Amino acid sequence: MPLSASAGAKPDNSAWPGLPFHDWKETCATLHLWTQIVGKVRLVRTPWLNHSWHVPFYLTARGLTTSPIPYGSRAFDVEFDFIDHLLRISTSDGLAKAMGLQPRSVASFYREFFACLSGLGLTIQIGPRPNEIADAIPFDQDDRHASYDAAAANRFWRALLQADRVMKEFRTRFVGKCSPVHFFWGSFDLAVTRFSGARAPQHPGGIPNCPDWVTRDAYSHEVYSCGFWPGGDALPMPIFYAYAHPQPAGFNTAQPPPATATYNEAFGEFILPYDAVREAAQPDDLLLDFFQGTYEAAADLGKWRRAELEYQGPQHKRAGT
């Protein structure tokens, strides 16, 4: 008879893959830049939507997609497939091209991607410099970033898939203005944002290679935002995060659950290590507690009208019940 979790058996959390940052640091940097190239195509071809909601990607059963992008009376989409390790470009009139995701420089990826677009009758130009990255190298000149570990990229997507699923459940608890759960290629993170409805003080801006007016539009109103980030040089580990803008007094000293969550002064946000979630007996419950606890701290300290903004009806019924 198998041991139960309560009897000391380790839970089967294989759906939440290990993602040590140092093991795929170079692939992460290269993939970030590839997503920026594709993302900028969506940016220049899609009508502006407040808070830059016209630019993110979305999770699919195989990877990340731009969703349909208008091109006159035609449309096209681009998908990163992290199962077959392909970049697929498909058009509404039945044309398609694919590129292999493999070790190659950003400059090489850039050239082939735009050659594929041209071959599909899609003439598009983008700004050649990456956003939200200090000392950024123009895409067409970047021969330094050239790594692609297929297994690591697949693990990253599978981690995103689990985060996306739980974040979508958290999103259902709110009836005020709220973003979709979406992946921002500039900051390379999955995020969902709730709004109080009140205007916010002007954001100071200052994000590298990102116009201040873009940042100020993103933070034009009071927000609580949470998400998943795979790590970077400033914090070399994958994390879940939560922050408020503007940050209400006392937010940084709040003590939301779980005990493994801490406030990071340098980042100005609460962080919860991804591994703490991955190794938990009930990963979904732990992560939802983190999101709910940090939201309540932000909303209560910020004097949000919670009764008007939160879902008050019966529990959602699953299909077939």
Side-chain angles (χ1 to χ4, degrees):
M1 181 177 179
L3 289 172
S4 67
S6 61
K10 187 174 181 179
D12 179 9
N13 292 347
S14 55
W16 298 79
L19 198 65
F21 179 72
H22 289 297
D23 287 0
W24 79 299
K25 176 180 178 180
E26 297 305 321
T27 292
C28 184
T30 302
L31 185 58
H32 185 183
L33 293 163
W34 290 353
T35 63
Q36 290 220 5
I37 293 168
V38 175
K40 280 179 172 252
V41 167
R42 184 177 185 217
L43 167 64
V44 300
R45 292 300 314 176
T46 307
W48 183 272
L49 185 60
N50 57 182
H51 318 301
S52 297
W53 289 357
H54 61 303
V55 304
F57 296 161
Y58 306 94
L59 265 292
T60 74
R62 302 189 70 88
L64 288 165
T65 181
T66 59
S67 74
I69 300 170
Y71 191 87
S73 61
R74 303 168 71 201
F76 68 100
D77 62 29
V78 186
E79 181 182 30
F80 285 88
D81 180 337
F82 295 122
I83 294 177
D84 288 339
H85 301 285
L86 295 171
L87 184 79
R88 291 192 180 89
I89 311 169
S90 305
T91 70
S92 57
D93 48 359
L95 303 178
K97 286 188 178 289
M99 295 168 46
L101 298 179
Q102 58 197 21
R104 63 188 306 172
S105 71
V106 170
S108 170
F109 179 96
Y110 178 87
R111 288 191 293 269
E112 184 174 352
F113 177 57
F114 279 94
C116 286
L117 291 175
S118 179
L120 294 169
L122 304 168
T123 302
I124 300 168
Q125 292 184 328
I126 65 171
R129 189 175 295 276
N131 293 124
E132 302 185 45
I133 297 175
D135 303 319
I137 305 169
F139 300 123
D140 58 350
Q141 300 173 31
D142 189 348
D143 293 313
R144 188 176 76 188
H145 298 98
S147 299
Y148 187 77
D149 179 334
N154 178 269
R155 289 195 300 272
F156 171 55
W157 160 70
R158 288 193 288 122
L160 285 174
L161 202 63
Q162 297 307 311
D164 180 76
R165 177 179 58 78
V166 177
M167 289 165 66
K168 283 175 176 172
E169 181 173 345
F170 175 66
R171 186 178 185 270
T172 66
R173 302 176 178 183
F174 199 74
V175 297
K177 178 177 176 178
C178 186
S179 77
V181 178
H182 45 198
F183 183 85
F184 280 102
W185 43 263
S187 47
F188 209 57
D189 64 332
L190 190 72
V192 63
T193 303
R194 294 176 171 185
F195 291 75
S196 75
R199 296 286 303 191
Q202 181 172 276
H203 194 284
I207 297 175
N209 292 309
C210 182
D212 287 346
W213 70 265
V214 173
T215 306
R216 288 167 182 158
D217 175 75
Y219 293 103
S220 60
H221 290 70
E222 292 180 350
V223 301
Y224 162 84
S225 191
C226 61
F228 170 74
W229 181 60
D233 289 337
L235 187 62
M237 66 176 185
I239 61 166
F240 292 97
Y241 65 81
Y243 65 88
H245 175 79
Q247 185 175 121
F251 183 70
N252 61 331
T253 56
Q255 296 182 326
T260 43
T262 58
Y263 185 83
N264 185 295
E265 291 287 350
F267 281 35
E269 59 192 37
F270 281 95
I271 64 171
L272 174 65
Y274 170 77
D275 282 347
V277 175
R278 186 175 71 87
E279 296 167 1
Q282 301 292 335
D284 291 23
D285 292 346
L286 186 79
L287 185 52
L288 287 168
D289 283 349
F290 173 69
F291 291 152
Q292 186 65 28
T294 51
Y295 160 71
E296 289 180 1
D300 289 343
L301 292 167
K303 297 180 171 56
W304 288 25
R305 301 184 308 277
R306 289 184 56 187
E308 299 174 25
L309 296 169
E310 297 170 17
Y311 182 74
Q312 303 294 329
Q315 293 295 317
H316 295 292
K317 292 185 177 180
R318 296 187 182 276
T321 62

